[in-house]
Coordinates of all heavy atoms in Angstrom, one line a residue:
Chain B
L160 N 101.6 -4.6 -66.3 CA 102.2 -4.5 -64.9 C 101.1 -4.4 -63.9 O 100.0 -4.0 -64.2 CB 103.0 -3.2 -64.9 CG 104.1 -2.9 -65.8 CD1 104.6 -1.5 -65.5 CD2 105.3 -3.9 -65.4
M161 N 101.5 -5.0 -62.8 CA 100.6 -4.7 -61.5 C 101.4 -3.7 -60.7 O 102.5 -3.8 -60.4 CB 100.3 -5.9 -60.8 CG 99.7 -7.2 -61.6 SD 99.5 -8.6 -60.5 CE 101.2 -9.1 -60.6
E162 N 100.7 -2.6 -60.4 CA 101.4 -1.7 -59.4 C 100.7 -1.9 -58.0 O 99.6 -1.8 -57.9 CB 101.1 -0.1 -59.9 CG 101.9 0.7 -58.8 CD 102.0 2.1 -59.3 OE1 102.1 2.5 -60.4 OE2 101.8 3.0 -58.3
I163 N 101.6 -2.4 -57.1 CA 101.1 -2.6 -55.8 C 101.5 -1.5 -54.8 O 102.8 -1.3 -54.7 CB 101.6 -4.0 -55.3 CG1 101.3 -5.1 -56.2 CG2 101.2 -4.3 -53.8 CD1 102.2 -6.4 -56.2
V164 N 100.6 -0.8 -54.3 CA 101.0 0.3 -53.4 C 100.7 0.0 -52.1 O 99.7 -0.6 -51.6 CB 100.1 1.5 -53.9 CG1 100.6 2.7 -53.0 CG2 100.1 1.8 -55.3
S165 N 101.8 0.2 -51.2 CA 101.6 0.0 -49.7 C 101.2 1.1 -49.0 O 101.4 2.4 -49.3 CB 103.0 -0.5 -49.1 OG 103.7 0.6 -48.7
E166 N 100.6 1.1 -47.7 CA 100.3 2.1 -46.8 C 101.6 2.6 -46.3 O 102.6 1.8 -46.3 CB 99.4 1.6 -45.7 CG 98.0 1.4 -46.0 CD 97.2 2.6 -46.4 OE1 97.1 3.5 -45.5 OE2 96.7 2.6 -47.6
P167 N 101.8 3.9 -45.8 CA 103.1 4.2 -45.2 C 103.3 3.7 -43.9 O 103.4 4.3 -42.8 CB 102.9 5.8 -45.1 CG 101.5 6.0 -45.2 CD 100.8 4.9 -45.8
D168 N 103.4 2.4 -43.7 CA 103.4 1.6 -42.6 C 104.8 1.2 -42.2 O 105.2 0.6 -41.2 CB 102.6 0.3 -42.5 CG 101.1 0.7 -42.7 OD1 100.7 1.8 -42.1 OD2 100.3 -0.2 -42.9
I169 N 105.8 1.3 -43.2 CA 107.2 0.8 -43.0 C 108.0 1.8 -42.3 O 107.9 3.1 -42.6 CB 107.8 0.5 -44.5 CG1 106.7 -0.6 -45.1 CG2 109.2 0.1 -44.3 CD1 107.0 -0.7 -46.6
R170 N 108.8 1.4 -41.3 CA 109.3 2.3 -40.5 C 111.0 2.2 -40.5 O 111.6 3.1 -39.9 CB 109.0 2.1 -38.9 CG 107.6 2.5 -38.7 CD 107.4 4.1 -38.7 NE 106.1 4.5 -38.5 CZ 105.3 4.6 -39.7 NH1 105.7 4.4 -40.9 NH2 104.0 5.0 -39.5
D171 N 111.6 1.3 -41.2 CA 113.1 1.3 -41.2 C 113.5 0.4 -42.4 O 112.6 -0.2 -43.0 CB 113.7 0.9 -39.9 CG 113.3 -0.5 -39.6 OD1 113.4 -1.5 -40.5 OD2 113.2 -0.8 -38.3
P172 N 114.8 0.6 -42.8 CA 115.2 -0.2 -44.0 C 115.0 -1.6 -44.0 O 114.6 -2.3 -45.0 CB 116.7 0.2 -44.1 CG 116.9 1.4 -43.2 CD 115.8 1.4 -42.1
E173 N 115.2 -2.2 -42.7 CA 115.0 -3.7 -42.7 C 113.6 -4.0 -43.0 O 113.3 -5.1 -43.5 CB 115.3 -4.1 -41.2 CG 116.8 -4.3 -41.0 CD 117.0 -4.9 -39.6 OE1 116.1 -4.9 -38.7 OE2 118.2 -5.1 -39.3
E174 N 112.6 -3.3 -42.5 CA 111.1 -3.5 -42.7 C 110.9 -3.4 -44.3 O 110.1 -4.2 -44.8 CB 110.3 -2.7 -41.9 CG 110.1 -2.9 -40.4 CD 109.3 -2.0 -39.7 OE1 108.5 -1.2 -40.3 OE2 109.3 -2.0 -38.5
A175 N 111.5 -2.4 -44.9 CA 111.3 -2.2 -46.4 C 111.9 -3.4 -47.1 O 111.2 -3.9 -48.1 CB 112.0 -1.0 -46.7
V176 N 113.0 -4.0 -46.6 CA 113.5 -5.1 -47.4 C 112.6 -6.3 -47.2 O 112.3 -7.1 -48.2 CB 114.9 -5.4 -46.8 CG1 115.5 -6.7 -47.3 CG2 116.0 -4.3 -47.3
A177 N 112.2 -6.4 -45.8 CA 111.3 -7.5 -45.5 C 110.0 -7.5 -46.4 O 109.5 -8.5 -46.7 CB 111.0 -7.7 -44.0
Y178 N 109.6 -6.3 -46.5 CA 108.2 -6.1 -47.3 C 108.5 -6.5 -48.7 O 107.6 -7.2 -49.3 CB 107.8 -4.6 -47.2 CG 106.6 -4.3 -48.1 CD1 105.4 -4.5 -47.7 CD2 106.9 -3.6 -49.3 CE1 104.2 -4.4 -48.6 CE2 105.8 -3.4 -50.2 CZ 104.4 -3.7 -49.7 OH 103.4 -3.5 -50.7
L179 N 109.5 -6.0 -49.4 CA 109.7 -6.3 -50.7 C 110.0 -7.7 -50.9 O 109.4 -8.4 -51.9 CB 111.0 -5.5 -51.3 CG 111.2 -5.3 -52.8 CD1 110.0 -4.9 -53.4 CD2 112.3 -4.5 -53.1
S180 N 110.6 -8.4 -50.0 CA 110.9 -9.9 -50.1 C 109.7 -10.6 -50.1 O 109.5 -11.6 -50.6 CB 111.8 -10.4 -48.9 OG 112.9 -9.5 -48.8
K181 N 108.8 -10.2 -49.0 CA 107.5 -10.9 -49.0 C 106.6 -10.7 -50.1 O 105.9 -11.7 -50.7 CB 106.7 -10.4 -47.7 CG 105.5 -11.2 -47.3 CD 105.6 -12.6 -47.3 CE 106.3 -13.3 -46.1 NZ 105.6 -13.3 -44.9
I182 N 106.5 -9.5 -50.7 CA 105.8 -9.3 -51.9 C 106.3 -10.2 -53.0 O 105.6 -11.0 -53.7 CB 105.8 -7.8 -52.4 CG1 105.2 -6.9 -51.5 CG2 105.3 -7.7 -53.9 CD1 103.7 -6.9 -51.5
R183 N 107.6 -10.3 -53.2 CA 108.2 -11.1 -54.2 C 107.9 -12.6 -54.1 O 107.6 -13.5 -54.9 CB 109.7 -10.9 -54.3 CG 110.3 -11.7 -55.5 CD 111.8 -11.2 -55.6 NE 112.5 -11.5 -54.5 CZ 113.9 -11.3 -54.5 NH1 114.5 -10.9 -55.6 NH2 114.6 -11.7 -53.4
M184 N 107.9 -13.0 -52.7 CA 107.6 -14.3 -52.4 C 106.2 -14.7 -52.7 O 105.9 -15.8 -53.4 CB 107.8 -14.5 -50.9 CG 108.2 -15.9 -50.3 SD 108.1 -15.8 -48.5 CE 109.7 -14.9 -48.2
I185 N 105.2 -13.9 -52.4 CA 103.9 -14.0 -52.8 C 103.6 -14.1 -54.2 O 103.0 -15.1 -54.7 CB 103.0 -13.1 -52.1 CG1 103.0 -13.1 -50.5 CG2 101.5 -13.0 -52.5 CD1 102.3 -11.9 -49.8
L186 N 104.3 -13.3 -55.0 CA 104.1 -13.3 -56.4 C 104.7 -14.5 -57.0 O 104.1 -15.1 -57.9 CB 104.8 -12.0 -57.1 CG 104.3 -10.6 -56.6 CD1 105.2 -9.5 -57.3 CD2 102.9 -10.5 -57.2
R187 N 105.7 -15.0 -56.4 CA 106.4 -16.4 -57.0 C 105.5 -17.6 -56.6 O 105.3 -18.4 -57.4 CB 107.8 -16.4 -56.5 CG 108.7 -15.5 -57.2 CD 110.1 -15.7 -56.7 NE 111.2 -15.0 -57.4 CZ 112.3 -14.9 -57.1 NH1 112.8 -15.2 -56.1 NH2 113.1 -14.2 -58.0
Y188 N 105.0 -17.6 -55.4 CA 104.0 -18.6 -55.0 C 102.9 -18.7 -56.0 O 102.4 -19.7 -56.4 CB 103.6 -18.4 -53.6 CG 104.4 -19.2 -52.5 CD1 105.7 -18.9 -52.3 CD2 103.8 -20.1 -51.8 CE1 106.5 -19.5 -51.3 CE2 104.6 -20.8 -50.8 CZ 106.0 -20.4 -50.6 OH 106.7 -21.1 -49.6
L189 N 102.3 -17.5 -56.2 CA 101.1 -17.4 -57.0 C 101.4 -17.6 -58.6 O 100.5 -17.7 -59.3 CB 100.5 -16.0 -56.9 CG 99.9 -15.8 -55.6 CD1 99.4 -14.2 -55.3 CD2 98.6 -16.6 -55.3
E190 N 102.6 -17.6 -58.9 CA 103.2 -17.6 -60.3 C 102.4 -16.5 -61.1 O 102.0 -16.7 -62.3 CB 102.9 -18.9 -60.9 CG 103.7 -20.0 -60.2 CD 103.6 -21.4 -60.7 OE1 102.4 -21.6 -61.1 OE2 104.5 -22.1 -60.5
T191 N 102.4 -15.3 -60.5 CA 101.8 -14.1 -61.3 C 102.8 -13.1 -61.8 O 102.6 -12.2 -62.6 CB 100.7 -13.4 -60.5 OG1 101.3 -13.0 -59.2 CG2 99.5 -14.3 -60.2
C192 N 104.0 -13.2 -61.2 CA 105.3 -12.4 -61.6 C 106.4 -13.3 -61.2 O 106.5 -13.9 -60.2 CB 105.3 -11.0 -60.9 SG 106.8 -10.2 -61.1
D193 N 107.6 -13.2 -62.0 CA 108.8 -14.1 -61.7 C 109.6 -13.3 -60.7 O 110.4 -14.0 -60.2 CB 109.4 -14.5 -63.0 CG 110.2 -13.3 -63.6 OD1 110.2 -12.2 -63.0 OD2 110.4 -13.5 -65.0
G194 N 109.3 -12.2 -60.3 CA 110.1 -11.4 -59.3 C 111.4 -11.2 -59.6 O 112.3 -10.9 -58.6
N195 N 111.9 -11.4 -60.9 CA 113.3 -11.2 -61.3 C 113.7 -9.8 -61.3 O 113.3 -9.1 -62.3 CB 113.4 -11.9 -62.6 CG 115.0 -12.0 -62.9 OD1 115.7 -11.2 -62.4 ND2 115.3 -13.0 -63.6
M196 N 114.4 -9.1 -60.4 CA 114.6 -7.9 -60.3 C 115.8 -7.4 -61.2 O 116.0 -6.3 -61.7 CB 115.0 -7.3 -58.9 CG 113.8 -7.5 -57.9 SD 114.1 -6.7 -56.3 CE 113.6 -5.1 -56.3
D197 N 116.6 -8.4 -61.7 CA 117.7 -8.1 -62.5 C 117.3 -7.8 -63.9 O 117.7 -7.0 -64.6 CB 118.8 -9.4 -62.5 CG 119.4 -9.7 -61.3 OD1 119.5 -8.6 -60.5 OD2 119.9 -10.8 -61.1
E198 N 116.3 -8.6 -64.3 CA 115.7 -8.4 -65.6 C 114.5 -7.3 -65.6 O 113.9 -7.0 -66.7 CB 115.0 -9.6 -66.2 CG 116.1 -10.6 -66.6 CD 115.4 -11.9 -67.0 OE1 114.1 -12.0 -67.2 OE2 116.2 -12.9 -67.4
G199 N 114.4 -6.7 -64.5 CA 113.4 -5.6 -64.3 C 112.0 -6.0 -64.4 O 111.0 -5.1 -64.5
S200 N 111.7 -7.3 -64.1 CA 110.3 -7.7 -64.1 C 109.7 -7.4 -62.8 O 108.5 -7.6 -62.6 CB 110.1 -9.1 -64.5 OG 111.0 -10.0 -63.9
M201 N 110.5 -6.9 -61.8 CA 109.9 -6.3 -60.6 C 110.8 -5.3 -60.2 O 111.9 -5.2 -60.1 CB 109.8 -7.4 -59.4 CG 109.1 -7.0 -58.3 SD 109.0 -8.3 -57.1 CE 109.6 -7.5 -55.6
R202 N 110.2 -4.0 -60.0 CA 110.8 -2.7 -59.7 C 110.2 -2.0 -58.6 O 108.9 -2.2 -58.4 CB 110.9 -1.9 -61.0 CG 111.0 -2.5 -62.3 CD 111.4 -1.7 -63.3 NE 110.2 -1.1 -64.1 CZ 109.5 -1.6 -65.2 NH1 109.9 -2.8 -65.4 NH2 108.5 -1.0 -65.7
A203 N 110.8 -1.2 -57.8 CA 110.2 -0.6 -56.8 C 110.6 0.9 -56.7 O 111.7 1.4 -57.0 CB 110.9 -1.3 -55.3
D204 N 109.6 1.7 -56.3 CA 109.7 3.1 -56.0 C 109.6 3.1 -54.4 O 108.7 2.6 -54.0 CB 108.7 3.9 -56.7 CG 108.8 3.9 -58.1 OD1 109.8 3.4 -58.7 OD2 107.9 4.4 -58.8
V205 N 110.4 4.1 -53.9 CA 110.3 4.1 -52.3 C 110.0 5.5 -51.9 O 110.7 6.4 -52.4 CB 111.6 3.6 -51.7 CG1 111.5 3.5 -50.2 CG2 112.0 2.4 -52.3
N206 N 108.9 5.7 -51.2 CA 108.5 7.1 -50.8 C 109.0 7.2 -49.4 O 108.7 6.4 -48.4 CB 107.0 7.3 -50.9 CG 106.4 7.4 -52.3 OD1 106.9 8.1 -53.1 ND2 105.4 6.5 -52.6
I207 N 109.8 8.2 -49.1 CA 110.5 8.3 -47.9 C 110.3 9.7 -47.3 O 110.3 10.7 -48.0 CB 112.0 8.1 -48.0 CG1 112.3 6.8 -48.7 CG2 112.7 8.2 -46.5 CD1 113.7 6.6 -48.9
S208 N 110.0 9.8 -45.9 CA 109.9 11.1 -45.3 C 110.3 10.6 -43.8 O 110.4 9.5 -43.4 CB 108.5 11.7 -45.3 OG 107.6 10.8 -44.7
V209 N 110.7 11.9 -43.1 CA 111.1 11.7 -41.7 C 110.2 12.6 -40.8 O 109.7 13.7 -41.5 CB 112.5 11.9 -41.4 CG1 113.5 11.1 -42.2 CG2 112.9 13.4 -41.9
R210 N 110.1 12.3 -39.5 CA 109.3 13.2 -38.7 C 109.8 12.9 -37.2 O 110.5 11.9 -36.8 CB 107.9 13.0 -38.8 CG 107.5 11.5 -38.4 CD 106.0 11.3 -38.3 NE 105.7 9.8 -38.0 CZ 104.4 9.4 -38.3 NH1 103.5 10.1 -38.7 NH2 104.2 8.1 -37.9
R211 N 109.5 13.9 -36.4 CA 109.8 13.6 -35.0 C 108.8 12.5 -34.5 O 107.7 12.6 -34.9 CB 109.7 14.9 -34.1 CG 110.5 16.0 -34.4 CD 111.8 15.6 -34.0 NE 112.9 16.8 -34.1 CZ 114.2 16.7 -34.0 NH1 114.8 15.6 -33.7 NH2 114.9 17.8 -34.3
P212 N 109.2 11.6 -33.7 CA 108.2 10.6 -33.2 C 106.9 11.2 -32.6 O 107.0 12.1 -32.0 CB 108.9 9.9 -32.0 CG 110.4 10.2 -32.3 CD 110.5 11.4 -33.0

Side-chain angles (χ1 to χ4, degrees):
Chain B
L160 293 180
M161 298 179 283
E162 179 171 329
I163 303 164
V164 184
S165 86
E166 291 288 301
D168 289 345
I169 300 165
R170 288 289 173 273
D171 64 35
E173 279 183 353
E174 291 183 8
V176 169
Y178 172 78
L179 197 55
S180 311
K181 184 49 75 71
I182 291 281
R183 184 167 62 173
M184 207 185 291
I185 293 171
L186 295 172
R187 284 181 169 168
Y188 266 65
L189 294 169
E190 294 174 337
T191 55
C192 170
D193 67 21
N195 193 333
M196 296 185 85
D197 295 338
E198 286 180 4
S200 44
M201 192 173 126
R202 319 192 276 275
D204 298 342
V205 190
N206 292 309
I207 304 172
S208 62
V209 296
R210 66 177 173 192
R211 296 290 187 189

